[in-house]
Amino acid sequence: VKTYHYANPNFTTTLQGKVLDDTGESLIGATVKVLKGNDVVRGTITDFDGNYRIAPLEPGNYDVEFSYTGFTI
């Protein structure tokens, strides 16, 4: 998972990465949620290659939750 952080509050950042299973296979349609406390800030699902990109995000600390039917990630 890559994250980019900037010190200037006028900037936004991007969270992007790839979701794989234990065998290294891409998980298509996995849910990715960005949380601040108990609040979902943004979310997306992975593409055909397991990639996701969430933007814009304000710089800060977040929890990221991944889920996929039949898996605990």
Side-chain angles (χ1 to χ4, degrees):
V1 174
K2 287 188 205 177
T3 59
Y4 302 97
H5 298 280
Y6 302 99
N8 187 330
N10 295 324
F11 286 100
T12 60
T13 189
T14 299
L15 175 68
Q16 60 188 20
K18 186 169 191 157
V19 180
L20 307 170
D21 69 10
D22 291 339
T23 67
E25 292 293 318
S26 299
L27 292 180
I28 303 165
T31 300
V32 183
K33 295 179 187 175
V34 176
L35 302 123
K36 193 160 208 155
N38 291 325
D39 297 327
V40 176
V41 176
R42 293 213 177 272
T44 191
I45 60 169
T46 57
D47 66 13
F48 185 76
D49 295 317
N51 297 310
Y52 65 90
R53 184 174 189 278
I54 300 174
L57 289 171
E58 293 181 15
N61 295 315
Y62 299 94
D63 291 315
V64 181
E65 179 180 289
F66 302 91
S67 60
Y68 189 75
T69 303
F71 287 85
T72 302
I73 304 171

